[in-house]
Amino acid sequence: ELWNLVNLERLDLDRNQLSGEISPEIENLINLNILFLWVNQLSGEIPSEIGNLTNLNTLVIGDNQFTGLIPEEICNINLDPMFDNYNWSERMFDGNKFCPPYPECIEQYVDFLDQDLTDTDCFSCDDEDVYDLWGTCYHVDYTFGLDFFNNELTGEIPQEIENFVNLNYLDLQGNNLSGLVSDFICGIDTYNLINNSFCGPFPDCLDNNSIFPQENSYDCEEFCNENTEINVWGSCYNIDETIELIFNNS
């Protein structure tokens, strides 16, 4: 078995479509200096026993399906991103599903944005600073984009979304969301709200190309002041003060 090759110094298995998990028996490879598992389909958590490989200098396990926390024991290893005159820092851990936070000793080599945390158990909605958005738990510190394109969502945008101060991308296009859109959207760099049932008035910061068209705007009458406003295609307009209506999306 592989883990019995105790004199092994280099193990290079990248781009082999390998699956399965790393066994805790990897600690038997006490002479291992170089480990390449880059671009496979390996999964599971990294065993803490990897910290016993004190001769290991090069570790490249990016672009797999590894999950969970990276064990603190990895800090027992003096990892060097340079190998064969190439800097492997961006391929050491990225392209997996590793949960934050990351051990301080390797934090510089793990880009959270390059970890796919979709359908992982990284966060519980009972945790601090974690909120449920449409059935999935998101941490405010690690959520930078939300893509719910054509997800059959209904109801109003949850108020909890306003806690996500790092959010810079929000795609809600093609759902059946309704109600008003708060000014929180103004702090998001890229957004798409079209093909829902949102009601006006919309925040002044919004771009018409990212709002219209809206469906079922006739349901928005309840948001207009019946004495001073009328509903036009999902927005309320003051009867006396409105002198222009422009919906040309140009």
Side-chain angles (χ1 to χ4, degrees):
E1 191 175 72
L2 174 64
W3 313 119
N4 293 326
L5 299 175
V6 295
N7 293 317
L8 195 66
E9 296 182 1
R10 175 171 178 169
L11 179 59
D12 191 337
L13 298 174
D14 63 303
R15 298 181 182 274
N16 274 279
Q17 298 183 337
L18 299 176
S19 59
E21 302 184 6
I22 296 179
S23 169
E25 293 183 73
I26 193 174
E27 67 176 348
N28 295 335
L29 306 182
I30 56 176
N31 291 299
L32 194 63
N33 181 256
I34 300 165
L35 177 58
F36 274 89
L37 298 175
W38 182 48
V39 191
N40 282 290
Q41 296 296 319
L42 297 170
S43 58
E45 299 187 9
I46 303 300
S48 60
E49 287 80 1
I50 199 170
N52 295 328
L53 302 180
T54 54
N55 288 312
L56 190 63
N57 290 322
T58 301
L59 175 64
V60 181
I61 59 174
D63 291 305
N64 279 281
Q65 301 293 322
F66 291 120
T67 57
L69 295 170
I70 299 175
E72 288 289 339
E73 287 81 358
I74 204 167
C75 293
N76 297 337
I77 306 171
N78 185 23
L79 294 178
D80 185 352
M82 296 299 299
F83 176 74
D84 200 17
N85 295 319
Y86 183 82
N87 189 335
W88 290 88
S89 59
E90 294 184 359
R91 293 177 168 85
M92 291 172 66
F93 299 98
D94 290 347
N96 284 288
K97 299 173 178 287
F98 288 124
C99 298
Y102 307 113
E104 185 175 353
C105 64
I106 61 165
E107 197 170 20
Q108 60 183 316
Y109 305 133
V110 188
D111 187 346
F112 170 78
L113 296 179
D114 283 329
Q115 302 297 320
D116 179 11
L117 301 186
T118 306
D119 299 324
T120 65
D121 296 324
C122 288
F123 309 118
S124 166
C125 285
D126 294 327
D127 294 341
E128 185 178 2
D129 294 328
V130 177
Y131 297 92
D132 184 332
L133 298 178
W134 294 294
T136 301
C137 302
Y138 296 92
H139 196 294
V140 297
D141 291 338
Y142 302 109
T143 302
F144 301 91
L146 292 171
D147 188 346
F148 291 104
F149 172 74
N150 200 24
N151 267 247
E152 300 182 354
L153 302 179
T154 59
E156 299 185 14
I157 297 177
Q159 187 174 0
E160 288 81 3
I161 202 171
E162 299 188 10
N163 293 295
F164 291 82
V165 294
N166 295 321
L167 195 64
N168 54 40
Y169 174 81
L170 178 64
D171 190 350
L172 298 177
Q173 178 183 353
N175 290 284
N176 193 28
L177 295 168
S178 57
L180 299 174
V181 178
S182 76
D183 289 337
F184 170 76
I185 197 78
C186 297
I188 300 176
D189 295 335
T190 304
Y191 53 84
N192 194 334
L193 308 177
I194 68 174
N195 294 329
N196 281 281
S197 299
F198 290 122
C199 299
F202 293 97
D204 293 337
C205 65
L206 295 189
D207 174 11
N208 281 353
N209 291 319
S210 298
I211 306 172
F212 299 106
Q214 294 293 321
E215 309 293 337
N216 301 326
S217 59
Y218 55 81
D219 291 334
C220 296
E221 296 287 349
E222 62 181 291
F223 296 103
C224 298
N225 186 318
E226 62 180 10
N227 296 319
T228 61
E229 297 176 322
I230 61 172
N231 176 275
V232 180
W233 293 307
S235 292
C236 300
Y237 292 90
N238 187 282
I239 297 172
D240 296 326
E241 298 178 1
T242 301
I243 59 175
E244 287 186 342
L245 288 176
I246 301 175
F247 296 98
N248 59 19
N249 283 337
S250 61

